[in-house]
Amino acid sequence: MTDTDPSDATDPTDRTDTETLLVSSLEASVGKTAIALALARLASDGDSAPAAGYMKPRGTRLESNVGKTLDEDPFLARELLEFEAEVHDMEPIVYSPTFIKQVIRGREDPDELRTRVREAADTLAANCDRLFVEGAGTLDTGGIIDLTDADVAELLDARVLLVATYESADDVDPIVTAARTFGDRLAGVVFNDVSEQAYDELETDVVPFLDGRGITTYGTIPSERTLAGVTVEELADELGATTLVEDDADTYVERFTVGAMGADSALRHFRRTKNAAVITGGDRSEIHTAALEAPGVRCLVLTGGHRPSGAVIGQATERGVPVLSVQTDTLTTIERAEAVVQSGRTRTRRTVEQMESLLTEYADVDLIFETAFEK
């Protein structure tokens, strides 16, 4: 039996004819998964064999509460794309804190890991015409195993679509730096979740500037409330909460605020927020009342397992504000609630379909495919 040199697996010249696009980003939680899956669906031509496949070389979303590591994205991709593939091929490396420690201690071989990723990609490529690869949370993730997004693009001979956000001129520097990092492999940029306030400046000043640097902008997708937030029902599921007042479980929550002040201060504070969930102790009836009087409060999350008074339940029912009860303390609940939104764990078929519509309306999808898959 002949030994195999791991470096052989990094040679892109023996790739199949499958075209590969890496969807990368400068930071986590910017809509990378939704955009990758939406593009994959738009690229499918309806043939009996799937035209588009999905891969996430370094899975990073962990669920330790059930005693195992599990990333939901490959399962969602299999469902949406009708892509018959093994999860271990779609996600060959689970980039967990434990894994990182193993690498640092010398118990993982970077060459073997690169071979694993390459072989998994080849297996997937045999069953699709176009392979959409989701990048890591940041451009430096994977550096300790020589598998940053730039390394993966080189390994898989992939073009790169960069997903970026824009709030101010400070956001341009990282984009230009990323373009230098990817070099000729960068196909272009899609801006996602752009606020109304930043939209005009981005279109008028930034896009022409990037074009002058040879960086193509495929589209600017405005902020969409239903993609930015989480429904009360989803929040309750993720927190393991008991619903005391149900009302509209499809109400969206975009931010969280803590009720830890006096009643008068709380009311003033709550009136300045919108689409918020108030997280406070279940025994703070004066805070409950103040929150229920504020029009921007969409949900009450009561901590510590305390049941509120009948008056509060009645007021919430009358005003149509859902009330959730959790056993955890306020600090723990805040951390878990914020993680729900930041990690994107609530992505569903609905969010991907919404992103398809947004891409079709606000981005040049045909140009993405034309330039991203040109050889």
Side-chain angles (χ1 to χ4, degrees):
M1 179 174 169
T2 305
D3 290 338
T4 300
D5 183 352
S7 63
D8 292 343
T10 65
D11 179 8
T13 58
D14 62 348
R15 291 280 293 165
T16 69
D17 291 334
T18 298
E19 300 168 310
T20 305
L21 178 66
L22 171 67
V23 181
S24 183
S25 68
L26 302 170
E27 57 187 314
S29 303
V30 295
K32 212 170 38 262
T33 303
I35 288 175
L37 291 178
L39 286 174
R41 281 167 58 89
L42 290 168
S44 299
D45 59 12
D47 291 340
S48 57
Y54 169 88
M55 181 185 192
K56 189 174 185 180
R58 296 138 305 178
T60 54
R61 186 149 39 263
L62 311 178
E63 290 186 356
S64 58
N65 59 320
V66 292
K68 59 183 177 180
T69 299
L70 178 65
D71 191 321
E72 295 178 353
D73 295 339
F75 294 94
L76 180 60
R78 287 203 307 188
E79 174 191 345
L80 293 179
L81 304 178
E82 299 182 357
F83 187 49
E84 296 295 332
E86 298 294 336
V87 172
H88 63 78
D89 287 326
M90 299 174 75
E91 186 179 282
I93 296 174
V94 177
Y95 207 76
S96 66
T98 300
F99 172 83
I100 293 171
K101 290 179 182 178
Q102 294 291 84
V103 173
I104 293 172
R105 292 167 182 166
R107 297 173 184 169
E108 294 284 356
D109 184 341
D111 285 337
E112 291 180 0
L113 294 170
R114 289 169 63 85
T115 299
R116 185 191 306 173
V117 170
R118 174 58 189 279
E119 290 178 346
D122 286 344
T123 298
L124 298 175
N127 296 309
C128 61
D129 301 317
R130 289 175 172 176
L131 181 62
F132 291 80
V133 179
E134 182 178 346
T138 64
L139 295 187
D140 55 5
T141 300
I144 61 174
I145 54 173
D146 299 325
L147 278 174
T148 63
D149 278 6
D151 294 326
V152 170
E154 185 72 23
L155 181 69
L156 303 184
D157 191 23
R159 298 300 300 279
V160 179
L161 173 68
L162 184 67
V163 179
T165 58
Y166 183 81
E167 294 181 0
S168 67
D170 293 342
D171 295 324
V172 179
D173 269 338
I175 295 171
V176 174
T177 300
R180 283 201 295 265
T181 299
F182 289 118
D184 292 341
R185 291 195 177 278
L186 181 67
V189 181
V190 167
F191 287 96
N192 187 36
D193 193 24
V194 179
S195 68
E196 186 177 349
Q197 293 81 1
Y199 198 94
D200 287 344
E201 180 178 277
L202 176 58
E203 288 287 325
T204 303
D205 298 331
V206 177
V207 170
F209 171 80
L210 293 176
D211 185 62
R213 292 294 190 98
I215 302 172
T216 300
T217 299
Y218 293 118
T220 301
I221 301 173
S223 295
E224 171 62 41
R225 180 177 63 86
T226 56
L227 292 177
V230 56
T231 67
V232 171
E233 181 178 17
E234 291 166 337
L235 179 62
D237 287 344
E238 294 293 342
L239 294 179
T242 299
T243 303
L244 304 181
V245 176
E246 291 191 18
D247 205 77
D248 188 359
D250 290 331
T251 295
Y252 272 84
V253 171
E254 297 178 7
R255 56 188 55 82
F256 303 96
T257 186
V258 185
M261 64 290 282
D264 291 340
S265 298
L267 183 56
R268 289 194 297 271
H269 174 69
F270 296 152
R271 281 177 172 167
R272 291 195 296 268
T273 190
K274 67 176 184 177
N275 300 327
V278 172
I279 300 175
T280 190
D283 55 351
R284 298 291 304 276
S285 59
E286 75 283 6
I287 300 296
H288 307 163
T289 300
L292 291 170
E293 292 178 5
V297 172
R298 297 287 179 258
C299 174
L300 273 180
V301 181
L302 309 183
T303 64
H306 302 287
R307 187 176 182 84
S309 67
V312 167
I313 293 293
Q315 184 183 5
T317 301
E318 181 181 345
R319 292 183 177 271
V321 177
V323 177
L324 309 180
S325 175
V326 296
Q327 298 296 319
T328 51
D329 60 54
T330 299
L331 179 59
T332 301
T333 304
I334 293 168
E335 292 174 346
R336 291 180 61 187
E338 289 179 340
V340 170
V341 173
Q342 293 173 3
S343 70
R345 285 166 57 192
T346 57
R347 279 189 298 271
T348 61
R349 172 183 289 272
R350 183 194 64 218
T351 62
V352 174
E353 290 174 346
Q354 284 179 290
M355 182 56 73
E356 284 184 64
S357 298
L358 290 168
L359 283 169
T360 301
E361 182 173 358
Y362 294 102
D364 192 334
V365 175
D366 289 339
L367 184 61
I368 292 175
F369 292 155
E370 178 184 334
T371 57
F373 292 121
E374 66 182 10
K375 291 293 186 180

